[in-house]
Amino acid sequence: MSGTPATSATLQPAKMKKDESFLGKLGGTLVRKKKSKEVSDLHEEGKNAINAPMLLSGTDIHPEDTLLEENAERLMLDPTSRENLKFKDLLKVLIDWINSELEEERIIVKDLEEDCYDGQVLQKLFEKLSGRKLNVAEVTQSEIGQKQKLQTVLEAVNDLLRPHGWTIEWSVDSIHSKNLVAIVYLLVALAMHFQAPIRLPEHVSVQVVVVKVRNPSTVGMHTYMCKRDAFDTLLDHAPDKLNVVKTSLITFVNKHLNKLNLEVTELESQFADGVYLILLMGLLEDYFVPLYNFFLTPESFEQKVHNVAFAFELMQDGGLKKPKARPEDVVNLNLKSTLRVLYNLFTNYKNTE
């Protein structure tokens, strides 16, 4: 979702405004006993709504040239998904991003499958983003050499991403076999981890087919919905359950923000500048956040991104995994990103008074 980020939160008339008028409140104790029965009552309902079974759609696909050994398995992109407009938009955004990053290398990517499979582009991209130089041959023509380069590049990528909670959805074989799904997973993970200055399209989903040979004469095919998680389903198919989740989260955050005489009514807009996220983390972890660490009344997009990114750092300091949402998405009023962040807090701090 795009739009102009809200510059200030909407509060109830009886509440204090989010400005210097409550600076004194911030300096006081951040812990006050308050009954949490309403939050507890809503927790299970909200959890059940989010974890509701997802709808998988089937497709009739007959891949050709599936020459696999016995018990081998191959992941294939449903041909119809290639025409999905959002997926095509995602590919374009990723290609433009890579070309922008590697402009000084005079590397031009036109096709992710054909240009990324040998490891050369991925090597240069990782080195540019991380500032690390990898010990690999610059040019490799043989399949063995290409896979060795990929192995080195992916080991470096995995060592970087895995500690931050990323699920590794790619491998040397999948990348080298030009598996577009694996290549996209990898690039999106890198873009999000390094907070690339791009806007990834929302609600992108594709179908993949797993082709598995059980014996030389039998090929089994299973169709899966790729990365259509529970939040996608809620937004697309279950608005009634989405409202339950939003109500649960609003009740949860207000239980704590009320201690500062603040109140939330709109999740998307009131967390978009990062201030409430920072204050909420201080309340949940029982500490005072120095005001010089963030912008109390942010005005620019950059100041809001700084605030949200700082809130994410506080979450990681509290033992939570790095949010998969990008600060820019929260600032841009992306509902799903905001829900992910708040639900992560909800599940970790639901019993905190």
Side-chain angles (χ1 to χ4, degrees):
M1 180 183 303
S2 61
T4 303
T7 57
S8 61
T10 303
L11 306 179
Q12 296 295 324
K15 302 295 181 180
M16 300 175 65
K17 293 183 179 180
K18 188 187 67 183
D19 55 20
E20 290 79 1
S21 64
F22 70 83
L23 294 182
K25 298 283 291 183
L26 293 176
T29 178
L30 295 182
V31 179
R32 183 194 307 169
K33 292 294 181 182
K34 185 176 182 179
K35 294 182 180 180
S36 58
K37 185 177 185 302
E38 186 177 5
V39 175
S40 299
D41 291 342
L42 286 170
H43 172 64
E44 284 303 317
E45 187 176 7
K47 181 179 179 181
N48 291 338
I50 287 184
N51 293 328
M54 294 163 49
L55 300 175
L56 300 185
S57 58
T59 184
D60 184 19
I61 299 177
H62 303 284
E64 299 178 356
D65 302 324
T66 55
L67 302 178
L68 305 177
E69 298 178 358
E70 185 172 357
N71 293 323
E73 186 174 287
R74 178 178 297 169
L75 192 69
M76 305 179 68
L77 182 66
D78 179 341
T80 61
S81 291
R82 290 183 178 271
E83 301 306 314
N84 181 293
L85 293 180
K86 289 187 176 181
F87 185 61
K88 292 171 73 173
D89 185 29
L90 174 60
L91 298 183
K92 183 179 184 305
V93 169
L94 292 174
I95 289 173
D96 290 345
W97 169 58
I98 295 173
N99 288 334
S100 175
E101 292 289 344
L102 301 183
E103 183 177 7
E104 294 182 359
E105 298 283 344
R106 297 184 178 180
I107 292 176
I108 299 177
V109 171
K110 296 182 179 180
D111 183 283
L112 293 181
E113 293 161 293
E114 296 298 328
D115 295 333
C116 292
Y117 82 95
D118 62 0
Q120 180 75 9
V121 169
L122 294 177
Q123 171 208 341
K124 295 297 184 181
L125 180 63
F126 179 77
E127 289 180 340
K128 172 69 183 306
L129 296 173
S130 66
R132 291 176 51 192
K133 181 70 175 177
L134 299 179
N135 185 23
V136 294
E138 283 300 316
V139 180
T140 53
Q141 298 295 335
S142 68
E143 179 178 340
I144 293 177
Q146 291 170 352
K147 287 189 173 182
Q148 288 176 340
K149 171 178 280 193
L150 273 174
Q151 182 70 34
T152 300
V153 174
L154 294 186
E155 283 180 356
V157 170
N158 297 347
D159 288 344
L160 177 69
L161 297 181
R162 191 178 282 113
H164 295 284
W166 286 95
T167 300
I168 306 305
E169 303 276 4
W170 51 84
S171 66
V172 171
D173 288 336
S174 64
I175 299 295
H176 195 265
S177 64
K178 304 179 183 179
N179 183 322
L180 184 57
V181 175
I183 293 172
V184 169
Y185 276 146
L186 173 58
L187 294 175
V188 168
L190 287 173
M192 295 180 69
H193 179 80
F194 287 102
Q195 299 183 4
I198 58 177
R199 180 175 296 178
L200 297 172
E202 301 175 36
H203 313 316
V204 179
S205 65
V206 296
Q207 290 185 335
V208 295
V209 177
V210 178
V211 182
K212 185 172 183 179
V213 177
R214 296 186 179 86
N215 58 62
S217 61
T218 305
V219 176
M221 292 189 294
H222 309 278
T223 303
Y224 298 96
M225 186 69 79
C226 176
K227 282 301 178 186
R228 286 289 295 173
D229 66 9
F231 279 97
D232 291 311
T233 304
L234 277 171
L235 289 167
D236 294 345
H237 305 295
D240 55 331
K241 293 182 179 180
L242 174 61
N243 289 332
V244 171
V245 174
K246 291 176 70 173
T247 299
S248 299
L249 294 178
I250 288 174
T251 302
F252 164 71
V253 298
N254 280 337
K255 170 192 171 185
H256 299 283
L257 290 177
N258 283 169
K259 299 168 187 176
L260 297 178
N261 220 22
L262 301 173
E263 187 164 322
V264 168
T265 57
E266 292 291 335
L267 295 179
E268 304 99 295
S269 61
Q270 288 183 259
F271 285 96
D273 63 9
V275 175
Y276 277 16
L277 279 178
I278 294 171
L279 297 180
L280 183 59
M281 280 307 303
L283 291 162
L284 294 173
E285 286 290 330
D286 191 19
Y287 55 67
F288 171 69
V289 182
L291 299 179
Y292 57 77
N293 281 332
F294 65 100
F295 299 95
L296 187 61
T297 55
E299 298 179 356
S300 68
F301 180 82
E302 290 73 20
Q303 290 177 346
K304 295 172 186 178
V305 170
H306 169 88
N307 281 357
V308 177
F310 177 57
F312 285 4
E313 292 178 9
L314 297 180
M315 294 173 195
Q316 291 178 264
D317 291 343
L320 279 68
K321 293 181 179 180
K322 181 180 180 179
K324 291 187 177 181
R326 302 189 316 149
E328 292 85 353
D329 293 331
V330 175
V331 175
N332 281 324
L333 309 179
N334 183 310
L335 175 59
K336 188 171 70 171
S337 295
T338 304
L339 289 178
R340 288 185 187 284
V341 173
L342 293 177
Y343 189 72
N344 191 31
L345 296 179
F346 183 30
T347 55
N348 282 275
Y349 295 99
K350 59 181 179 291
N351 296 321
T352 301
E353 292 295 332

